Amino acid sequence: MSSTNYSEVDTPFQLFDRAEWRSLNGHFSHHLTSDDIENLRALNEPLTVTEIEEIYFPLAHLLGILIKRTKDQHAAVNNFLNRGADTLPFIVGIAGSVAAGKSTTARVLQKVLSMLPSKPKVELVTTDGFLYPNKILAERNIRKGFPESYDTKLLLNFLASMKSGISQFEVPVYSHLEYDIIPHENQIIAQPDILIVEGINVLQVNSSTGSSVFVSDYFDYSIYVDADEEDLINWYINRFESLRATSFQNPASYFHRYANLGKEESIAMATNIWNTINLPNLHKNILPTRYRADLILEKGSHHFVKQIKVRKI
């Protein structure tokens, strides 16, 4: 699927600036502590109470409406079929480029959705856990992060299980420090009310499995975190620089070999990684999925959301 550029006339999306989006919040408002903000913030990504209140509270309010509609529909259909069935999780997919801030968006959304009046159980799973171990990637000469580097069959099995009412599922765990799947360690997902699935690949339709079923087929709602390419590379380089001074210093880190690079060498290395891996992946596999999303969060150079596009219903 190629990237689509819609004009203002034919776009299937409604555009909201921050002020208009903020006004949609309605009654949904909760107090967040400084500890909450610190736990949700990622490296080099500014996050404020204002950003959460103006962007994520209205988003949670919108999703709350959709979740209620889905539950009501589920109950009505099962009543018609004379079948009793447990409520299935409402699944939200979050996609976007490396360095766009998907992980922060996912964590914040998990937090604010858990604060909805019904106090739902909200679980968050990243597709990093479905990457093949480094050993397999090396044996098959596969670049990490590209579609073929994921165990898509396992990911589809997980999502099918969630939508089948399976009581629990064990998801592999990925270590960013070791840059690999952690053997014999799993995240147990047990019947959440809401499941957030975050990853660069979740809206892609170029499956390496040959399956006619795609990850996004299991989503009830999907979000794409968008930003200009110039901002993305700057954020990636800045993050690489910060990691070089922190986690890369740990001898256990996969990237420890970069710990003693000078600043110019470090910037050159980060730029090369971006240009040879992340940028081709963005152009070929990620960016073309942007308009498959139900909602697009467009960020400005400051990392804060500047406008929101919502698919018309």
Side-chain angles (χ1 to χ4, degrees), residues 1 13 202-205 214 216-217 222 288-296 311:
M1 177 179 178
F13 292 90
V202 296
L203 294 178
Q204 292 168 7
V205 294
F214 306 112
S216 58
D217 290 342
S222 57
T289 71
R290 174 174 52 186
Y291 289 109
R292 298 191 71 240
D294 296 301
L295 182 144
I296 301 171
R311 186 175 294 279

Side-chain angles (χ1 to χ4, degrees), residues 102-115:
K102 301 181 305 303
S103 297
T104 298
T105 293
R107 287 193 300 272
V108 174
L109 195 56
Q110 180 185 27
K111 177 66 176 180
V112 296
L113 286 174
S114 70
M115 297 159 64

Side-chain angles (χ1 to χ4, degrees), residues 24-88:
L24 301 177
N25 182 32
H27 65 277
F28 183 59
S29 181
H30 293 274
H31 175 68
L32 290 168
T33 67
S34 57
D35 286 342
D36 288 330
I37 302 298
E38 193 60 34
N39 290 333
L40 295 170
R41 182 185 289 117
L43 187 66
N44 282 5
E45 288 183 29
L47 181 66
T48 63
V49 171
T50 299
E51 181 76 355
I52 295 175
E53 291 178 345
E54 294 186 356
I55 301 300
Y56 292 97
F57 278 5
L59 179 53
H61 193 169
L62 171 62
L63 288 172
I65 293 171
L66 297 174
I67 291 166
K68 183 180 184 304
R69 183 189 69 179
T70 300
K71 285 185 176 181
D72 290 345
Q73 182 183 45
H74 176 86
V77 170
N78 279 288
N79 182 60
F80 169 76
L81 296 173
N82 292 319
R83 294 287 180 90
D86 294 331
T87 302
L88 303 176

Side-chain angles (χ1 to χ4, degrees), residues 8-298:
E8 293 184 3
V9 176
D10 64 4
T11 177
F13 292 90
Q14 301 176 75
L15 179 64
F16 298 84
D17 61 23
R18 281 188 72 104
E20 188 176 9
W21 184 255
R22 179 181 64 233
S23 70
L24 301 177
N25 182 32
H27 65 277
F28 183 59
S29 181
H30 293 274
H31 175 68
L32 290 168
T33 67
S34 57
D35 286 342
D36 288 330
I37 302 298
E38 193 60 34
N39 290 333
L40 295 170
R41 182 185 289 117
L43 187 66
N44 282 5
E45 288 183 29
L47 181 66
T48 63
V49 171
T50 299
E51 181 76 355
I52 295 175
E53 291 178 345
E54 294 186 356
I55 301 300
Y56 292 97
F57 278 5
L59 179 53
H61 193 169
L62 171 62
L63 288 172
I65 293 171
L66 297 174
I67 291 166
K68 183 180 184 304
R69 183 189 69 179
T70 300
K71 285 185 176 181
D72 290 345
Q73 182 183 45
H74 176 86
V77 170
N78 279 288
N79 182 60
F80 169 76
L81 296 173
N82 292 319
R83 294 287 180 90
D86 294 331
T87 302
L88 303 176
F90 187 93
I91 302 182
V92 180
I94 299 179
S97 172
V98 170
K102 301 181 305 303
S103 297
T104 298
T105 293
R107 287 193 300 272
V108 174
L109 195 56
Q110 180 185 27
K111 177 66 176 180
V112 296
L113 286 174
S114 70
M115 297 159 64
L116 286 170
S118 61
K119 297 297 186 289
K121 178 183 179 182
V122 187
E123 294 281 10
L124 169 60
V125 170
T126 72
T127 57
D128 288 343
F130 295 91
L131 283 161
Y132 286 115
N134 289 349
K135 181 180 178 181
I136 293 179
L137 296 179
E139 290 173 351
R140 299 180 183 177
N141 193 28
I142 296 173
R143 290 180 294 178
K144 182 174 289 191
F146 284 72
E148 59 273 17
S149 66
Y150 293 88
D151 188 345
T152 306
K153 287 184 179 179
L154 180 61
L155 178 54
L156 289 171
N157 186 24
F158 163 62
L159 293 171
S161 296
M162 291 294 100
K163 281 299 190 181
S164 299
I166 299 299
S167 60
Q168 68 177 43
F169 197 102
E170 294 186 355
V171 174
V173 174
Y174 184 84
S175 168
H176 286 278
L177 180 68
E178 299 177 21
Y179 196 59
D180 203 356
I181 298 294
I182 304 176
H184 314 301
E185 185 169 333
N186 296 288
Q187 175 187 4
I188 298 176
I189 305 299
Q191 295 184 310
D193 299 303
I194 303 171
L195 173 65
I196 299 172
V197 181
E198 175 261 310
I200 60 175
N201 60 321
V202 296
L203 294 178
Q204 292 168 7
V205 294
N206 49 340
S207 172
S208 59
T209 65
S211 172
S212 58
V213 179
F214 306 112
V215 171
S216 58
D217 290 342
Y218 293 99
F219 294 163
D220 296 288
Y221 204 76
S222 57
I223 298 168
Y224 187 96
V225 182
D226 198 17
D228 291 340
E229 285 186 24
E230 182 179 352
D231 293 327
L232 290 171
I233 187 171
N234 287 334
W235 296 341
Y236 181 78
I237 291 172
N238 290 338
R239 185 174 70 182
F240 189 92
E241 273 290 281
S242 296
L243 290 170
R244 180 177 63 87
T246 54
S247 63
F248 289 2
Q249 298 296 320
N250 186 334
S253 171
Y254 177 87
F255 296 101
H256 181 62
R257 60 187 181 277
Y258 299 141
N260 295 322
L261 291 178
K263 185 172 182 179
E264 290 186 4
E265 293 176 307
S266 177
I267 292 174
M269 177 60 68
T271 302
N272 181 63
I273 294 172
W274 178 266
N275 288 333
T276 59
I277 299 175
N278 295 324
L279 187 60
N281 200 18
L282 173 64
H283 284 172
K284 182 179 180 181
N285 300 308
I286 304 170
L287 192 58
T289 71
R290 174 174 52 186
Y291 289 109
R292 298 191 71 240
D294 296 301
L295 182 144
I296 301 171
L297 296 174
E298 295 190 355

